[in-house]
Amino acid sequence: MESSPASRSVARTSLNAAISVLGLSAQQFAGFVITLLAAGFLSAAEYGVYTLAVVFVELVVMFAYTGFFHFVINSEAADDTVLPTMFWVMVGIGTVGGVLMIVCAGPVATFFDAPNLAPVLLFFGLMQPFASGISWASAYLTRSGLMRRYFLILIATNICALIAGGALLVFWQSLYALVVYRAVRLIIGLVLFGLAVPHLPRFRFDVPLFVRAWRYAVGLYGARILTFLSTFGADLVLAYVFTTAESGLYRFANRLALSTVDIIAQPLRHFSLKAFGHAARRNQPLTPVFCSFWSGMILFIGGSALTVGMFGSAVTGTFYQPEYLAAIRAIHAVLAIGSILPVADFDGGVDLDVFEGAVAVVVDPGFDHAASLGAIGGGLRVRTNQ
């Protein structure tokens, strides 16, 4: 018996939704696993050197991505004008940033008293122009509405890179195994995105369009720089005031805690936007949708946070070097904050008494976890049924 068009449409929509969830979660999952493997094989100081170098990579990515990426997606200019122009702009920013990383590698390593930082910055600097090309290709696919293709590439890139990076760390327990991991991910991404974009960029540059894009981007740089400092400022301060070991412990705690949250939060955010749009287009009440996603986000994020909070110390002491036990309190603190922020972003304002028990559970490993979880669940049930 042949399926009806409606059932085929539902199946197609479900498949696309599953692919989007996997695509959005793949990078977080891959980074989460690589962090665990790196902490198992490398010292905190070596891991700190790698994460400190990544801070400078993220700075270059921020300048290439902010504004120009969104301009590619939102611009009403013709494709044959906006796409090649923005390609050369984004690759140009990546090239300039990469050159600065190479030139400043020695002085930056001296400033942080981390000799191993210089060669890592050198290798990462060489990668930046190509990474900017991938950012452009991502914007191109988004502008073209080829989201399924985009998410499939994210899944393939991160899974293949994870397998390669895990094997490298197991057989070559070195800081440079992580450098090669990023290079492998970059090469795979270049190949797949290069094959996926409908047309490769041409040698065309529209100056008036660039001026418009620049004005668009400059308006966003201030907020993005503040966001960058709030995200990575602690890494820089810890590496300068103390050593890369403290910086590495902080980033280990931060990545472990926030990945635990983001693996749940990102897909839920994506689906909530779709559900709100669907309800709004049909003039349906938004309150049931809001309550469903709000309670679901708290429940799943809270469950993940509680799991890490309860078993983090035991797992870290069993599988990692003793120096990583110093990161446990930081993991609890970041989990407490990270569990609230996604819901605050979703809600636009958080009723903090809902989280009072959850924060206490995460921060204090000696808390009565079962009783607190039951109380939080009861409170959520009452609130979402109001």
Side-chain angles (χ1 to χ4, degrees):
M1 181 177 177
E2 294 185 1
S3 58
S4 66
S7 63
R8 288 197 297 268
S9 177
V10 170
R12 192 182 308 111
T13 301
S14 300
L15 177 61
N16 289 336
I19 291 173
S20 66
V21 170
L22 291 173
L24 291 168
S25 302
Q27 188 165 354
Q28 290 295 334
F29 177 75
F32 180 78
V33 174
I34 287 295
T35 296
L36 296 180
L37 290 173
F41 293 115
L42 304 180
S43 68
E46 287 180 306
Y47 184 67
V49 168
Y50 169 75
T51 57
L52 187 59
V54 170
V55 170
F56 294 96
V57 172
E58 292 295 333
L59 181 62
V60 177
V61 170
M62 181 201 71
F63 280 105
Y65 185 94
T66 298
F68 297 110
F69 180 95
H70 299 92
F71 188 82
V72 173
I73 297 172
N74 299 317
S75 176
E76 296 179 358
D79 286 358
D80 60 352
T81 301
V82 67
L83 291 172
T85 301
M86 290 302 100
F87 172 81
W88 297 114
V89 170
M90 295 174 73
V91 171
I93 293 174
T95 302
V96 171
V99 170
L100 288 175
M101 287 178 63
I102 293 171
V103 171
C104 298
V108 169
T110 302
F111 180 78
F112 288 105
D113 193 22
N116 289 336
L117 181 60
V120 178
L121 286 174
L122 175 64
F123 288 126
F124 283 172
L126 294 173
M127 299 179 195
Q128 291 318 295
F130 305 101
S132 297
I134 290 179
S135 297
W136 171 84
S138 301
Y140 187 176
L141 292 179
T142 304
R143 177 185 175 91
S144 303
L146 302 173
M147 298 308 298
R148 180 173 178 176
R149 188 181 303 182
Y150 171 67
F151 288 130
L152 286 172
I153 292 174
L154 288 182
I155 294 170
T157 299
N158 285 287
I159 289 178
C160 293
L162 175 60
I163 294 171
L168 283 167
L169 281 169
V170 170
F171 294 105
W172 183 27
Q173 299 171 15
S174 166
L175 163 66
Y176 297 102
L178 291 173
V179 178
V180 176
Y181 155 71
R182 289 186 72 94
V184 169
R185 191 175 69 179
L186 176 65
I187 293 171
I188 296 172
L190 277 174
V191 172
L192 294 181
F193 276 108
L195 294 173
V197 293
H199 303 285
L200 294 176
R202 296 181 299 159
F203 292 99
R204 180 175 181 178
F205 192 88
D206 188 287
V207 176
L209 185 69
F210 164 69
V211 173
R212 284 163 48 198
W214 172 253
R215 290 173 180 169
Y216 181 85
V218 167
L220 301 175
Y221 274 138
R224 293 296 296 174
I225 289 172
L226 291 176
T227 301
F228 173 84
L229 291 175
S230 69
T231 303
F232 298 107
D235 299 76
L236 299 173
V237 171
L238 288 171
Y240 175 71
V241 176
F242 299 104
T243 67
T244 56
E246 282 77 11
S247 177
L249 288 173
Y250 168 76
R251 183 47 53 186
F252 168 74
N254 189 281
R255 187 61 188 256
L256 185 63
L258 292 186
S259 293
T260 301
V261 172
D262 286 343
I263 285 173
I264 303 297
Q266 283 193 2
L268 283 178
R269 282 198 199 102
H270 179 73
F271 279 115
S272 68
L273 290 174
K274 280 191 170 184
F276 277 126
H278 180 83
R281 286 192 299 271
R282 287 160 176 77
N283 293 320
Q284 296 173 349
L286 300 181
T287 302
V289 180
F290 171 79
C291 290
S292 176
F293 280 100
W294 194 75
S295 59
M297 185 172 285
I298 296 174
L299 181 62
F300 287 116
I301 290 177
S304 300
L306 287 171
T307 300
V308 175
M310 286 189 288
F311 300 108
S313 298
V315 173
T316 302
T318 302
F319 294 102
Y320 300 112
Q321 301 177 39
E323 59 185 327
Y324 281 94
L325 287 171
I328 293 300
R329 282 292 180 179
I331 292 174
H332 294 155
V334 177
L335 273 173
I337 299 170
S339 299
I340 293 175
L341 290 179
V343 186
D345 291 339
F346 179 75
D347 186 13
V350 179
D351 193 358
L352 289 177
D353 62 335
V354 174
F355 297 97
E356 189 177 55
V359 172
V361 169
V362 173
V363 174
D364 185 0
F367 213 78
D368 187 344
H369 297 94
S372 298
L373 183 58
I376 295 168
L380 290 177
R381 185 172 59 253
V382 170
R383 290 177 180 279
T384 55
N385 287 335
Q386 286 178 347

